[in-house]
């Protein structure tokens, strides 16, 4: 069994860099300081020129098409939705465990026979101005009506009938999957990409791993996933465990979709900040690893991958936004099929209309940049927590003789989102050195959220205290660390942007 991957570093706010010795002075010290900086700029600029120039970029990427397995997901399709603005990809993750080595099967719990079905279905929209990527997860257990179609092996006709969405692939492959998704969303699919377990693992490894943060321990005996709270750099196999796990909480597939979205956001961050897009050789290595074991439509190849890489050069995590189809009934029973996920049809229709019209899904942030625009570098990075601070009721007491300390702590906690009483009181003791967080054990997750905002404080269980968490400020108090919910869904469609779910620095 793989050992738990311990945090590489504790989650916390970004620390300001110390001024270098000699900063602001002229002469030799300044020259020594600037030469490496100009070297980095020159190297980055050269990489951009190489990757960005049509002729050289094409030469770097040439030959990648030969490894792509081709499918025709649009064959004989009629009455398709009208094309909108931007480009739409249907990204399908399939159960390709038949290509995994015996050692990997044992290590990553991939025993059993492949189901030849879709494990993940995502609709990815790249805006017409190439400034935004919108990713909408479609639950694999979604209630779907398959259109009439011929059997792919015998040619025998099949009448329309209800299924779970992932069964469309098993019954009719990529073609029936695209037809079904287009019928359900009325969004025209421009490109089809099918990624199996092997290509997923190899691509993550080619990128040097991907950093994932979690506010709580994640354990799934089915996949072998064991992550402690904190930050982790996952290899390809570990990343596969992370995106496949369904049994880490009660959210099942819906919780797994959230983790898949966090992973895609982290993947975008790694590509845009880890030098992949600025290094032609690295970009080709990652692209060839991905394209060498995917299935795609005949019009998607190295030129499209190069164009996508060029578009993403200006991306940041905030350029991506993630949503799941609004759910009306998460356990809709269907005779002969079982429990399915029924969409909220009116809200889902509004979501897909926004994609067709190339509109951002995430609302503009109050007092901040619009969705899809980079967040200023000076903005404080909030630490992800399990319970949203808005759901935690806090009473503050001053346990010292420092005038006004209780009010300052109350105001700071409220500023980061906690539901404070707004009426701090004097504590029974005035000699408290270490800040104490008293809580009822029934609300221990809420207490841990407060403790994240007050690092170094002491947690003290008080049975019967009730839902209000009591903070007794001690002389060790310096500041409140900003926190945010790990899945801070917002807006009409429950959207998050990539910068809200990736690890902070």
């Amino acid at each position: 069994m793989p050992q738990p991957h311990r945090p590489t570093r504790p989650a916390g706010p970004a620390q300001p860099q110390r001024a270098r010795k000699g900063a602001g002075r002229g002469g030799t010290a300044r020259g020594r300081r600037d030469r490496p900086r100009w070297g980095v700029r020159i190297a980055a600029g050269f990489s951009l020129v190489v990757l960005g120039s049509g002729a050289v970029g094409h030469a770097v990427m040439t030959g990648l098409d030969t490894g792509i397995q081709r499918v025709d997901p649009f064959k004989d399709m009629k009455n398709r939705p009208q094309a909108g603005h931007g480009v739409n990809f249907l990204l399908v993750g399939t159960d390709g465990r038949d290509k995994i080595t015996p050692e990997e099967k044992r290590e990553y719990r991939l025993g059993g026979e492949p189901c030849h079905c879709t494990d993940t279905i995502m609709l990815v929209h790249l805006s017409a101005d190439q400034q935004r990527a919108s990713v909408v997860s479609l639950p694999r257990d979604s209630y779907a009506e398959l259109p009439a179609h011929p059997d792919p092996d015998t040619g025998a006709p099949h009448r329309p009938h209800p299924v779970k969405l992932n069964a469309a692939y098993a019954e009719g492959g990529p073609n029936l999957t695209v037809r079904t998704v287009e019928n359900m969303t009325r969004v025209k699919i421009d490109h089809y990409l099918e990624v199996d377990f092997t290509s997923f693992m190899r691509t993550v490894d080619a990128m040097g791993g991907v950093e994932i943060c979690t506010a709580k321990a994640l354990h799934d005996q089915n996949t072998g996933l064991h992550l402690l709270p904190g930050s982790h750099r996952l290899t390809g196999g570990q990343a596969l465990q992370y995106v496949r796990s369904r049994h880490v909480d009660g959210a099942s597939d819906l919780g797994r979709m959230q983790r898949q979205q966090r992973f895609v956001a982290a993947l975008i961050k790694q590509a845009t900040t880890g030098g992949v897009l600025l290094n032609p050789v690295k970009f080709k290595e990652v692209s060839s690893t991905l394209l060498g074991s995917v299935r795609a439509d005949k019009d998607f190849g190295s030129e499209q991958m190069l164009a996508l890489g060029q578009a993403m050069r200006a991306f940041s995590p905030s350029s991506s936004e993630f949503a799941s189809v609004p759910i009306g009934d998460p356990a809709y029973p269907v005779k002969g099929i079982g429990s399915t996920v029924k969409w909220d049809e009116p809200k889902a229709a509004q979501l897909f209309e926004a994609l067709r019209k190339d509109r951002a899904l995430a609302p503009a942030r109050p007092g901040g940049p619009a969705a899809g625009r980079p967040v200023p570098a000076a903005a404080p990075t909030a630490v992800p927590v399990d319970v949203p601070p808005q759901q935690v009721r806090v009473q503050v007491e001053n346990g010292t003789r420092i005038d006004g300390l209780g009010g300052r702590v109350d105001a700071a906690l409220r500023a980061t989102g906690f539901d404070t009483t707004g009426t701090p009181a004097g504590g029974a003791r005035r000699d408290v050195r270490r800040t104490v967080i008293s809580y009822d054990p029934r609300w221990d997750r809420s207490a841990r959220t407060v403790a994240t905002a007050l690092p170094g404080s002491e947690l003290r269980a008080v049975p019967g205290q009730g839902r209000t968490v009591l903070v007794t400020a001690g002389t060790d108090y310096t500041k409140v660390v900003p926190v945010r919910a790990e899945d801070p869904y917002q807006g009409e469609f429950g959207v998050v942007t990539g910068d809200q779910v990736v690890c902070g620095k």
Side-chain angles (χ1 to χ4, degrees):
M1 178 184 298
Q3 294 300 311
H5 312 297
R6 300 199 177 272
T8 56
R9 60 178 176 271
Q15 297 296 321
Q17 294 183 345
R18 294 181 179 178
R20 297 186 182 181
K21 190 174 182 178
R25 300 175 185 173
T28 307
R30 181 174 180 179
R32 284 197 300 267
R33 187 186 70 239
D34 283 350
R35 276 198 295 271
R37 183 177 302 169
W38 279 108
V40 171
R41 290 175 181 172
I42 292 171
F46 176 74
S47 297
L48 284 172
V49 170
V50 171
L51 189 58
S53 65
V56 179
H58 186 272
V60 169
M61 298 295 290
T62 189
L64 294 186
D65 298 65
T66 57
I68 304 177
Q69 298 181 50
R70 296 298 179 183
V71 295
D72 189 359
F74 310 117
K75 183 180 179 181
D76 299 328
M77 288 184 62
K78 301 176 181 178
N79 302 319
R80 300 187 65 191
Q82 184 176 357
H85 301 287
V87 181
N88 298 311
F89 298 80
L90 186 63
L91 178 60
V92 170
T94 58
D95 182 347
R97 70 187 72 196
D98 50 337
K99 302 177 184 178
I100 301 292
T101 67
E103 292 77 14
E104 290 170 330
K105 282 187 177 181
R106 286 193 297 270
E107 183 172 1
Y108 303 119
R109 311 285 179 89
L110 294 169
E113 295 297 322
C115 70
H116 301 292
C117 58
T118 50
D119 203 53
T120 300
I121 307 171
M122 290 181 173
L123 187 56
V124 182
H125 174 80
L126 182 64
S127 63
D129 62 6
Q130 299 186 336
Q131 296 296 306
R132 183 184 68 256
S134 304
V135 181
V136 179
S137 296
L138 310 182
R140 67 177 192 171
D141 290 339
S142 296
Y143 174 85
E145 293 275 355
L146 290 189
H149 62 280
D151 188 285
D153 297 322
T154 66
H158 289 285
R159 301 177 63 181
H161 60 279
V163 294
K164 292 182 180 180
L165 181 55
N166 69 336
Y169 186 91
E171 287 201 31
N175 182 267
L176 187 58
T177 301
V178 170
R179 288 183 62 193
T180 304
V181 170
E182 285 194 346
N183 286 351
M184 296 174 72
T185 65
R186 304 311 301 164
V187 173
K188 186 176 182 180
I189 307 300
D190 300 300
H191 291 293
Y192 174 88
L193 286 176
E194 183 180 310
V195 181
D196 63 21
F197 288 172
T198 305
S199 56
F200 178 87
M201 293 170 63
R202 304 293 181 262
T203 301
V204 173
D205 285 335
M207 295 185 69
V210 173
E211 188 179 24
I212 289 294
C213 291
T214 177
K216 58 187 176 183
L218 300 178
H219 301 294
D220 188 339
Q221 294 301 320
N222 290 27
T223 64
L225 176 71
H226 293 286
L227 292 181
L228 297 176
S231 174
H232 312 266
R233 182 161 293 274
L234 306 185
T235 64
Q238 295 162 357
L240 184 61
Q241 292 175 314
Y242 180 80
V243 299
R244 289 185 61 237
S245 291
R246 304 174 60 200
H247 304 286
V248 298
D249 50 38
S252 189
D253 263 349
L254 301 181
R256 182 175 70 162
M257 286 194 306
Q258 292 176 352
R259 287 185 289 278
Q260 290 171 350
Q261 291 171 353
R262 285 200 293 273
F263 181 83
V264 173
L267 199 67
I268 291 174
K269 181 179 181 180
Q270 175 71 8
T272 55
T273 63
V276 174
L277 299 180
L278 297 179
N279 186 327
V281 177
K282 186 69 173 178
F283 183 72
K284 182 175 182 178
E285 178 190 355
V286 173
S287 300
S288 60
T289 302
L290 174 63
L291 296 180
S293 53
V294 304
R295 300 211 301 169
D297 63 273
K298 61 183 179 63
D299 293 325
F300 187 85
S302 58
E303 291 189 5
Q304 286 69 35
M305 181 64 79
L306 179 59
L308 192 59
Q310 291 172 325
M312 289 184 64
R313 287 185 323 201
F315 264 42
S316 68
S318 62
S319 303
S320 57
E321 54 184 12
F322 300 86
S324 299
V325 178
I327 303 302
D329 187 347
Y332 180 70
V334 179
K335 185 177 181 180
I337 299 177
S339 179
T340 67
V341 176
K342 185 74 170 176
W343 295 359
D344 183 322
E345 295 296 342
K347 289 184 178 179
Q350 294 174 18
L351 171 67
F352 296 122
E353 182 183 11
L355 287 187
R356 287 192 297 271
K357 294 186 176 180
D358 200 23
R359 295 200 303 256
L361 304 180
R365 301 177 192 175
R373 302 298 181 190
V375 176
T381 300
V383 180
V385 290
D386 188 15
V387 178
Q390 292 81 3
Q391 297 179 12
V392 182
R393 184 68 167 170
V394 179
Q395 170 66 53
V396 176
E397 289 185 353
N398 186 356
T400 75
R401 298 185 182 278
I402 303 173
D403 290 339
L405 179 61
R408 293 200 301 274
V409 175
D410 183 284
L413 288 171
R414 178 171 289 274
T416 198
F418 287 96
D419 179 23
T420 66
T421 62
T423 54
R429 293 176 53 188
R430 292 290 190 171
D431 58 350
V432 176
R433 295 185 177 181
R434 184 181 178 188
T435 299
V436 176
I437 300 172
S438 304
Y439 67 97
D440 190 310
R442 293 175 296 172
W443 281 273
D444 60 322
R445 292 167 60 239
S446 296
R448 287 196 295 271
T449 291
V450 179
T452 302
L454 294 168
S457 56
E458 175 189 345
L459 281 167
R460 185 176 298 172
V462 181
Q465 177 174 295
R467 68 178 291 262
T468 299
V469 176
L470 175 63
V471 173
T472 303
T475 55
D476 66 337
Y477 170 79
T478 54
K479 64 179 181 179
V480 168
V481 173
V483 297
R484 61 167 170 80
E486 188 172 29
D487 292 301
Y489 285 98
Q490 59 169 305
E492 186 178 7
F493 304 125
V495 183
V496 291
T497 51
D499 59 299
Q500 294 175 306
V501 293
V502 296
C503 299
K505 295 296 184 184

